[in-house]
Amino acid sequence: MERRQPLAISPGWASALPTGPDTRIKITEEYAKLVARDAYFWAWPLVNIYNRRLTMAQVKEAVRAGPLVFAPLNRNAMFTDYVDPAERAVACPNQDVVYGLASIALDLSPVVVQVPDFGDRFWVYQIVDLRSDSFVQLGKMYATTPGFYLLVGPNWRGEVPTGITKVFRSATNTGFSAPRVFQDETPEDKKAIQGVLSQVLFYPLSDFDGTMKVKDWNNMPKMPPQASGSEESKWVFPEKFVDQLPAVLADAPPLPGEEARYAQILAVVAAGQADPKLKAAMTQAAAQAEEELVKPLFQFRNYGQQLPYNWSTISNEAAFGTDYFTRTAVAKSNIFVNSPNETKYFYQDLDDTGARLNAANLYAVTFAKGQTPPVNGFWSLSIYNEFHFFVANQINRFSVGTKNKGLKYAVDGSLTLYVQSKAPTDDVQRANWLPAPEGDFSLYVRTYWPKTAVMDGSWTPPPVRKVNP
């Protein structure tokens, strides 16, 4: 069959495009600051994931370091139980699943993703590109079959080996993955899950031989924990922004309509790299954008679709595209969210009167009969301190939901969860107790594999009511 030649580009195509910046001209510091401030905001999530890759590039083997796990590029590491409450690398973790992580570098190699037979257990592999947009569909909601799947970069044209079930192509070479495998709170399930966890593996294509590999994650080498504070580890640095941005944008080519935006910032960056005074002005603007634009979006109440009783949500998670505001808000407050058909999230900083949630008060969240979150997978209500992390408590409980086998329902079929710092004396309340950390805190409903009522908005969470005596 004769191969068709590509169509010639229209002679008028170039003239139809707007011209880009003239890089020969002098620009003012104020203009450079304006462009840098804007770029810092919309590129913040990309730089975040890029710097996570730089960190993992230093790792030589999968290791456990205090509450965290680390793995080399294009390989994963898995926890063997719920995430440690002391973890500070990713805000808003959950304690309903066993996590893994992998920093993806598809310019180095395609990556084989191994999927074992999970049986009836809920699971999903979240895999996102540099923009934190999902490009993979692997999980129970997709009826994924056990086997081997391949991640490739935007320019890979190699041969797919026999034995690969499906290929997923990323729009960028850099990405991140966070596999999630459901586990209930019982000792029996914590033991039963270990076999399947040992087969959750990511590795370079050169290691693929068609056999299901096994790794005992309990035997990972241990390293001293990294120093960490009370807030999330810092991944975006205003003082490095001007120097890092060209490499970041080279890995994430402009989406349709972004060409002029890219040309503008790259021209100004080039000018800044040639003029130290201009670069200093841009760095100052980046630091101001961090404080004035990005930092406030850490608070859930400052973004999202507004719902009854001061809850909020989003509907384009992991598919942000050019929704720069939501993408940066999510990356700042709780990066690495699943696609909405995989998980729908609901955020809360306030009680039903609009007052800030605080451990000085007692709260109740009541789900009427049949009104717990409608899901095919599982649901939970998690609690976080003011920095969106867990704080150790006397019963080691940080979420309540499907995983809990001892919840007590009322005679009318309703379920009331009690959110307070002090342990309830009533047995029913204690069974349904979600311990609150000191000071301000936030609540967070997860609905994994949500049903239609969640997806179309006809179900939303009930109010968080203050019930002080």
Side-chain angles (χ1 to χ4, degrees):
M1 181 177 179
E2 183 181 355
R3 185 175 182 179
R4 293 184 178 180
Q5 296 298 315
L7 293 174
I9 296 175
S10 167
W13 178 249
S15 63
L17 291 174
T19 58
D22 184 342
T23 57
R24 299 167 297 180
I25 66 169
K26 177 182 177 179
I27 61 174
T28 64
E29 288 184 23
E30 291 305 315
Y31 174 72
K33 288 165 66 174
L34 172 69
V35 174
R37 179 181 173 92
D38 175 66
Y40 187 85
F41 183 84
W42 60 259
W44 197 95
L46 288 73
V47 176
N48 186 304
I49 294 178
Y50 173 83
N51 281 326
R52 291 175 191 267
R53 169 177 169 164
L54 293 185
T55 295
M56 294 302 175
Q58 308 304 313
V59 179
K60 304 304 179 186
E61 63 177 333
V63 296
R64 182 73 186 250
L68 301 174
V69 293
F70 295 87
L73 294 177
N74 293 338
R75 297 184 186 275
N76 68 310
M78 296 293 296
F79 291 96
T80 55
D81 200 348
Y82 298 139
V83 67
D84 191 306
E87 178 272 323
R88 294 294 181 267
V90 180
C92 292
N94 79 56
Q95 278 219 348
D96 311 297
V97 301
V98 178
Y99 280 107
L101 65 80
S103 188
I104 306 300
L106 298 173
D107 50 324
L108 301 182
S109 168
V111 176
V112 175
V113 177
Q114 190 170 279
V115 174
D117 186 351
F118 288 95
D120 293 331
R121 188 181 298 276
F122 177 90
W123 67 280
V124 63
Y125 288 3
Q126 181 200 26
I127 306 177
V128 299
D129 63 17
L130 189 61
R131 289 186 170 90
S132 66
D133 286 341
S134 176
F135 67 96
V136 168
Q137 297 79 44
L138 292 173
K140 192 172 181 63
M141 68 286 300
Y142 301 112
T144 303
T145 56
F148 306 97
Y149 298 80
L150 191 65
L151 312 180
V152 302
N155 302 315
W156 187 77
R157 297 293 182 269
E159 184 176 345
V160 178
T162 301
I164 296 294
T165 302
K166 188 173 182 178
V167 176
F168 295 100
R169 186 176 297 275
S170 173
T172 66
N173 280 312
T174 299
F176 196 88
S177 178
R180 295 161 166 87
V181 186
F182 179 75
Q183 173 186 277
D184 70 34
E185 65 174 350
T186 65
E188 293 79 13
D189 201 45
K190 292 183 179 185
K191 181 178 179 181
I193 198 175
Q194 300 306 314
V196 72
L197 291 179
S198 69
Q199 297 179 72
V200 178
L201 282 167
F202 290 40
Y203 45 84
L205 180 58
S206 58
D207 287 3
F208 178 65
D209 60 9
T211 64
M212 190 69 68
K213 303 180 188 302
V214 176
K215 184 176 180 65
D216 185 352
W217 300 110
N218 288 287
N219 291 331
M220 276 191 293
K222 291 181 171 56
M223 294 178 58
Q226 294 187 337
S228 63
S230 55
E231 300 184 49
E232 184 180 36
S233 302
K234 194 170 184 179
W235 298 105
V236 183
F237 306 89
E239 65 274 16
K240 298 180 180 180
F241 179 72
V242 175
D243 290 328
Q244 289 188 327
L245 193 58
V248 172
L249 297 187
D251 194 4
L255 298 174
E258 288 187 325
E259 293 86 355
R261 181 183 290 268
Y262 271 50
Q264 179 191 52
I265 181 58
L266 291 174
V268 174
V269 166
Q273 290 174 334
D275 182 345
K277 191 174 180 181
L278 207 59
K279 180 179 178 181
M282 296 173 68
T283 300
Q284 178 189 7
Q288 290 174 338
E290 175 69 40
E291 289 299 313
E292 297 171 5
L293 296 174
V294 178
K295 190 174 181 178
L297 295 178
F298 181 79
Q299 308 297 333
F300 292 130
R301 60 189 179 276
N302 287 340
Y303 74 92
Q305 302 163 24
Q306 302 304 293
L307 304 176
Y309 311 118
N310 299 308
W311 288 93
S312 63
T313 190
I314 59 172
S315 297
N316 61 346
E317 52 264 47
F320 301 109
T322 57
D323 184 352
Y324 307 115
F325 183 81
T326 305
R327 184 173 71 191
T328 296
V330 170
K332 179 61 180 177
S333 60
N334 64 141
I335 197 170
F336 302 134
V337 296
N338 290 85
S339 299
N341 64 306
E342 296 173 355
T343 316
K344 182 75 170 173
Y345 305 86
F346 299 90
Y347 310 124
Q348 185 63 277
D349 290 334
L350 311 171
D351 67 18
D352 63 327
T353 70
R356 185 71 174 90
L357 296 175
N358 187 280
N361 300 307
L362 286 67
Y363 303 93
V365 182
T366 299
F367 297 93
K369 181 180 180 181
Q371 288 301 304
T372 53
V375 294
N376 296 302
F378 68 88
W379 70 270
S380 67
L381 176 70
S382 295
I383 190 166
Y384 302 105
N385 71 357
E386 61 179 316
F387 302 116
H388 292 182
F389 286 107
F390 297 138
V391 176
N393 60 67
Q394 59 184 289
I395 61 172
N396 197 36
R397 178 183 284 182
F398 309 94
S399 67
V400 176
T402 304
K403 71 171 185 178
N404 302 98
K405 303 305 179 185
L407 297 180
K408 305 295 185 183
Y409 286 74
V411 293
D412 64 359
S414 65
L415 174 66
T416 298
L417 305 178
Y418 298 90
V419 184
Q420 58 192 67
S421 59
K422 186 177 180 180
T425 55
D426 177 85
D427 288 344
V428 171
Q429 292 187 13
R430 188 173 176 86
N432 296 355
W433 175 37
L434 185 56
E438 293 300 318
D440 290 344
F441 65 85
S442 297
L443 294 171
Y444 192 119
V445 170
R446 287 178 172 84
T447 59
Y448 272 79
W449 195 0
K451 291 184 177 180
T452 301
V454 174
M455 294 292 287
D456 67 14
S458 57
W459 182 94
T460 57
V464 182
R465 300 192 186 281
K466 186 165 64 175
V467 291
N468 291 0

